[in-house]
Amino acid sequence: MTARIGVVTFPGSLDDRDTQRAIRLAGAEPVALWHKDKDLKQVDAVVLPGGFSYGDYLRAGAISRFSPVMETVIDQAKAGLPVLGICNGFQVLTEAHLLPGGMLGNDHLHFICRDQKLRVENASTAWTSDYESGQEIHIPLKNMDGRYVADQYTLDQLEAEGRVAFRYLDFNPNGSLNDIAGITNEAGNVVGLMPHPEHAVEPLIGTGRTDGLPFFTSIIKKLVTA
């Protein structure tokens, strides 16, 4: 069985092709999905890629959340479909209430682009099982609205339930509360993070490492063994 992983393209998506390439390198079949279509083409999982969907008007991800494709993504995610949101995709997931909290502008008010050190906090989700808890990895980061925020009750709940998936190490690049770089839902099938794993899948690009590839090999193993 070859896993089929859909990658949604919104107006303003920048990293959909890179994500498709990462999926292909990991050994799955990437399937292009268009934001106006409700049909997910019977994919086994979905990735919402990075970029500036709809120009990030109103708030980052706020308009994309109402795209026709998201109606189906939301319904199927609630039914167990694995969904990964990267950067702008993470913002869309919070706007769609598939993940709690929200994203605000970086605390320094500047776009940031750098290689970022992360610690894997949860290696039991559908997208992180090829990592080890506590593992330190380097993933490229590029965002303007990357500051994760939530009320104290939500933060306490995320921490208590082990739903912080990734945490920034050495340097908090955007002012995210609790140094949170990525989170998961209760079921572990929906994960969102600000750094870009699709830019760390080959030694000649990105960080010069392949620390991002396990995102995609994790979901393949999950789907093949399900």
Side-chain angles (χ1 to χ4, degrees):
M1 166 187 170
T2 299
R4 302 176 75 248
I5 303 177
V7 180
V8 178
T9 297
F10 300 99
S13 292
L14 299 179
D15 301 293
D16 44 350
R17 295 293 183 90
D18 302 80
T19 303
Q20 291 177 27
R21 179 174 176 78
I23 290 167
R24 190 176 295 110
L25 286 171
E29 177 188 351
V31 179
L33 301 175
W34 186 237
H35 69 112
K36 287 188 176 182
D37 298 331
K38 292 185 179 182
D39 182 11
L40 297 186
K41 301 181 181 179
Q42 298 182 316
V43 296
D44 304 301
V46 167
V47 180
L48 306 179
F52 299 90
S53 61
Y54 294 94
D56 277 351
Y57 292 118
L58 300 182
R59 290 183 309 276
I63 300 177
S64 298
R65 176 260 180 273
F66 293 101
S67 293
V69 72
M70 286 304 298
E71 294 182 32
T72 312
V73 170
I74 291 169
D75 288 343
Q76 294 201 19
K78 291 178 178 178
L81 179 75
V83 178
L84 174 66
I86 302 170
C87 196
N88 190 235
F90 186 10
Q91 295 160 345
V92 174
L93 290 177
T94 61
E95 290 289 338
H97 303 297
L98 287 174
L99 292 174
M103 312 300 298
L104 297 179
N106 297 341
D107 59 352
H108 46 72
L109 304 180
H110 295 285
F111 180 86
I112 188 168
C113 183
R114 55 170 282 142
D115 292 342
Q116 179 66 47
K117 189 176 182 181
L118 306 175
R119 182 171 61 239
V120 180
E121 301 283 18
N122 186 331
S124 62
T125 78
W127 298 91
T128 60
S129 60
D130 263 3
Y131 292 109
E132 295 181 2
S133 293
Q135 183 176 347
E136 297 181 1
I137 60 177
H138 291 78
I139 302 289
L141 174 79
K142 49 178 185 174
N143 64 69
M144 181 68 187
D145 299 290
R147 178 160 50 114
Y148 180 77
V149 296
D151 59 72
Q152 193 59 52
Y153 175 83
T154 299
L155 290 172
D156 291 344
Q157 187 177 44
L158 290 172
E159 297 287 0
E161 296 177 359
R163 290 169 53 195
V164 175
F166 297 91
R167 210 179 301 269
Y168 297 117
L169 287 184
D170 297 344
F171 172 74
N172 186 325
N174 43 40
S176 290
L177 297 181
N178 292 20
D179 297 327
I180 290 174
I183 60 175
T184 179
N185 67 344
E186 292 182 37
N189 64 303
V190 179
V191 171
L193 79 159
M194 286 310 297
H196 287 259
E198 77 280 9
H199 294 323
V201 295
E202 295 179 282
L204 293 180
I205 61 173
T207 60
R209 303 159 62 128
T210 58
D211 290 1
L213 197 60
F215 277 90
F216 306 101
T217 57
S218 292
I219 191 59
I220 292 171
K221 290 180 181 178
K222 169 72 174 178
L223 296 170
V224 170
T225 58

